Amino acid sequence: MKTRTIRLGAGAGYAGDRIEPAIELAARGALDYLIFECLAERTIGLAQQARAANPDTGFDPLLGDRFRAVLPACRAQAVRIITNMGAANPVGAAAVVRDLAREMGLNGLRVAAVTGDDVLAEVARGHYVLDETGEASAALGDRLVSANAYIGAAPIVQALTEGADVVITGRAADPALFLAPLVHAFAWADDDWTRLGAGTVVGHLLECAGQVTGGYFADPGVKDVPDLARLGFPLAEVHADGTAVITKVAGSGGRVTRATCKEQLLYEIHDPSAYLTPDVTADFTRVRLDDDGEDRVRVTGGTGRARPDTLKVSVGYRDGYIGEGQISYAGAGAVARARLAGDIVTTRLGLAGVDVAELRRDLIGIDALHGAVAAGRSGDPYEVRLRVAARTRTAGDARRVANEVESLYTNGPAGGGGATIAVREVLAVASTFMPRDRVRCRVVIEEA
Amino acid sequence: MILRDVAHSRTGDKGTIVNLSVIAFDERDFPWLVEVVTAARVREHLGTLVDGEVRRYLLPEIGAMNFVATRPAGQSVTRSLALDAHGKSLSAALLALPLPER
């Protein structure tokens, strides 16, 4: 067992995240591992749709860009990379990285793909009840697009043990991407709930990258953060007992303070004494955060208990269309004209017999974000933007909703400007649960 | 006085569930915040922005509370017609909560 600290860097907090902070971490973070978390609930369903259309796709569209940016520094400094950018096609993603490594002269790079999270066939034929709707998965029929189990750290640990320099997964649980290198480096037992819980706390703090270093935090005059345009992404110095220091590369933008860590600790948490992951039921309630110098926060007290018996499964399904249009009004009477415009659209959709399942009208600048809760608290704004969004069964009806907003130009109130329209198919995501033994993971390693 | 004067907040989302942290700027204010920022007050303040019960969890080690609520029907992140489909801006609504003078 190694007794030194392990340094984990977070290179991305979502699929479209900035690329440069990861380069900075790879070059100057003295990292052991660089980890990219790029898979939101819906992303994998969209990836599955892309793969169905073209079998050579289905992984993160920025995969090549991110690896091209960091591979040289990672190879030079022996930094291993772990990511869920494989999305619906980890094997295809690994082939892309292998080819890219050869092209860049990085021969011998070992790239692992972890498969097994895709449980679409099982969910399509088995009886699984969707948590959100109470509907049986089989009832979705041909609307079912994807089903992916949240897998844990074990197959990633296996890939690292087999010597992978790069590990690419599909739907691994976000904290598992960070927990795996700790389990590997410190040889934590797979029922060492205290350490697995502590490692999960570290993973949770890192998984949204810039959200713990001052991103999504600034509120001028109340909570100021320097240099957000050059925000540094976080790294953790983790000890064998699971305690850690969260910090960032010296000279990068942002801040690491107890306050930034507290906000991220509770981000997307329900019961903080029972944060359910495939690896452990983590307990955040005794976590302590202490100052350890400038931009350094010490994290202790994370713990846990036995993991759940089932794995959460994200189920993606087609759920109709959304048609949306927006148009702006300004100056005296702007709000009255925007309200009139909204009334006209509603009436038109009725007259035209457009089949609308649900319709929503917002006045951006007044009630779009917090509705009636906030509306009427202050006087009319100088300018306001009408937004109409409707759920429809067909793309044609969605387009008609959008067009009714655009045609307010020539048929609606005076002075409407800046109309925009959008039509999209809805890929809804619901959850179900699956016994662990029905999810079998495999590791495939390719060498550049 | 409003909550924003003494605490900060971040909203998180998972499907139809939303969570809102309330973190004391000064941890000495935490016991008082526990008294005045109850689940019932938060429920009343958020009105139609959430559905059903609001649950509160306490994290005294870091001077923070976590409020968990369900979003109105149809407002899951992936299906919502709302401009802010995630509900990420809800923390700003919560920080406007009026507090009694001490």
Side-chain angles (χ1 to χ4, degrees):
Chain A
M1 187 186 294
K2 295 179 182 174
T3 51
R4 68 180 184 100
T5 61
I6 292 295
R7 293 170 69 91
L8 309 179
Y14 84 101
D17 215 339
R18 292 178 185 169
I19 287 183
E20 305 92 319
I23 303 175
E24 179 178 61
L25 271 176
R28 297 175 48 213
L31 298 182
D32 297 293
Y33 296 89
L34 178 58
I35 296 149
F36 295 88
E37 196 293 289
C38 295
L39 212 47
E41 280 183 317
R42 182 161 54 189
T43 320
I44 199 156
L46 296 170
Q48 194 69 260
Q49 279 183 316
R51 191 184 183 185
N54 176 357
D56 293 331
T57 63
F59 44 79
D60 189 300
L62 288 177
L63 175 83
D65 290 344
R66 290 201 195 278
F67 272 90
R68 190 179 292 278
V70 301
L71 269 181
C74 286
R75 183 61 178 264
Q77 317 243 4
V79 179
R80 300 166 90 176
I81 300 173
I82 301 171
T83 181
N84 55 15
M85 273 189 274
N89 189 0
V91 172
V96 166
V97 173
R98 176 203 62 201
D99 292 347
L100 185 62
R102 283 180 187 154
E103 179 198 317
M104 297 174 83
L106 304 173
N107 295 314
L109 189 83
R110 290 168 65 79
V111 185
V114 174
T115 61
D117 63 299
D118 185 339
V119 290
L120 181 59
E122 167 67 17
V123 166
R125 74 169 171 260
H127 181 74
Y128 293 93
V129 176
L130 303 182
D131 210 30
E132 289 81 354
T133 63
E135 211 177 350
S137 59
L140 291 170
D142 62 3
R143 294 161 64 210
L144 182 63
V145 169
S146 65
N148 294 81
Y150 281 77
I151 61 174
I156 304 172
V157 173
Q158 183 191 332
L160 295 172
T161 305
E162 291 176 15
D165 300 302
V166 174
V167 184
I168 302 179
T169 74
R171 181 68 285 172
D174 298 351
L177 301 173
F178 298 85
L179 184 59
L182 302 176
V183 169
H184 172 70
F186 298 129
W188 288 343
D190 97 322
D191 61 352
D192 186 345
W193 309 122
T194 301
R195 287 185 178 82
L196 294 175
T200 296
V201 169
V202 175
H204 179 73
L205 285 168
L206 294 178
E207 72 183 40
C208 294
Q211 279 198 178
V212 75
T213 50
Y216 212 57
F217 183 85
D219 192 354
V222 181
K223 297 190 292 172
D224 289 298
V225 180
D227 215 1
L228 282 169
R230 295 196 310 114
L231 182 65
F233 281 1
L235 68 91
E237 304 164 357
V238 192
H239 300 274
D241 63 359
T243 64
V245 169
I246 305 292
T247 183
K248 65 188 184 71
V249 172
S252 61
R255 303 165 71 186
V256 180
T257 66
R258 297 179 65 232
T260 67
C261 291
K262 287 176 186 178
E263 279 199 20
Q264 190 54 27
L265 184 71
L266 290 177
Y267 180 69
E268 292 183 342
I269 293 297
H270 298 164
D271 177 353
S273 73
Y275 181 63
L276 303 176
T277 80
D279 296 302
V280 61
T281 299
D283 183 348
F284 292 13
T285 56
R286 278 170 279 173
V287 170
R288 282 183 53 95
L289 300 166
D290 294 294
D291 284 323
D292 188 55
E294 194 181 347
D295 289 323
R296 291 176 62 85
V297 172
R298 193 179 323 112
V299 184
T300 57
T303 182
R305 53 187 186 278
R307 62 174 71 101
D309 292 331
T310 55
L311 294 179
K312 181 175 157 180
V313 174
S314 255
V315 178
Y317 60 100
R318 283 189 290 272
D319 193 23
Y321 294 80
I322 291 178
E324 179 185 330
Q326 299 184 8
I327 188 165
S328 284
Y329 297 88
V335 173
R337 280 178 283 135
R339 289 195 201 284
L340 172 60
D343 291 343
I344 293 168
V345 171
T346 308
T347 306
R348 282 287 304 166
L349 292 173
L351 289 174
V354 178
D355 183 11
V356 168
E358 183 187 352
L359 181 126
R360 177 181 170 122
R361 277 163 51 179
D362 299 307
L363 293 181
I364 296 174
I366 297 183
D367 64 6
L369 294 177
H370 297 156
V373 169
R377 281 195 189 161
S378 53
D380 279 359
Y382 179 78
E383 57 187 58
V384 65
R385 187 163 178 81
L386 170 71
R387 173 179 181 270
V388 179
R391 188 185 315 285
T392 64
R393 285 169 193 85
T394 68
D397 279 338
R399 199 167 303 114
R400 290 166 83 183
V401 172
N403 288 347
E404 284 300 341
V405 177
E406 190 181 66
S407 66
L408 289 165
Y409 267 140
T410 52
N411 300 280
T420 55
I421 59 173
V423 172
R424 61 180 175 88
E425 186 176 24
V426 177
L427 182 69
V429 174
S431 307
T432 190
F433 297 89
M434 184 175 281
R436 287 175 171 274
D437 59 9
R438 285 189 213 158
V439 181
R440 294 278 166 79
C441 292
R442 274 190 65 212
V443 176
V444 185
I445 298 186
E446 301 219 37
E447 194 167 308
Chain B
M1 183 190 276
I2 61 171
L3 184 56
R4 182 169 179 260
D5 297 328
V6 289
H8 55 117
S9 174
R10 176 174 294 183
T11 314
D13 59 88
K14 278 265 154 66
T16 56
I17 307 285
V18 65
N19 85 293
L20 300 114
S21 56
V22 170
I23 304 161
F25 283 121
D26 183 336
E27 286 172 16
R28 289 171 297 187
D29 288 336
F30 179 69
W32 174 67
L33 284 171
V34 170
E35 257 175 61
V36 295
V37 187
T38 59
R41 279 220 69 203
V42 169
R43 177 69 197 85
E44 181 192 19
H45 181 71
L46 293 177
T48 54
L49 293 175
V50 298
D51 212 19
E53 176 198 24
V54 169
R55 276 164 297 153
R56 184 176 81 166
Y57 301 94
L58 302 183
L59 294 102
E61 286 286 355
I62 59 168
M65 299 182 258
N66 190 36
F67 294 89
V68 179
T70 305
R71 302 182 66 205
Q75 295 289 305
S76 77
V77 173
T78 50
R79 292 188 79 245
S80 175
L81 291 180
L83 183 61
D84 176 12
H86 295 81
K88 283 179 177 284
S89 67
L90 290 177
S91 55
L94 180 54
L95 288 177
L97 178 77
L99 296 184
E101 293 303 324
R102 278 186 285 183

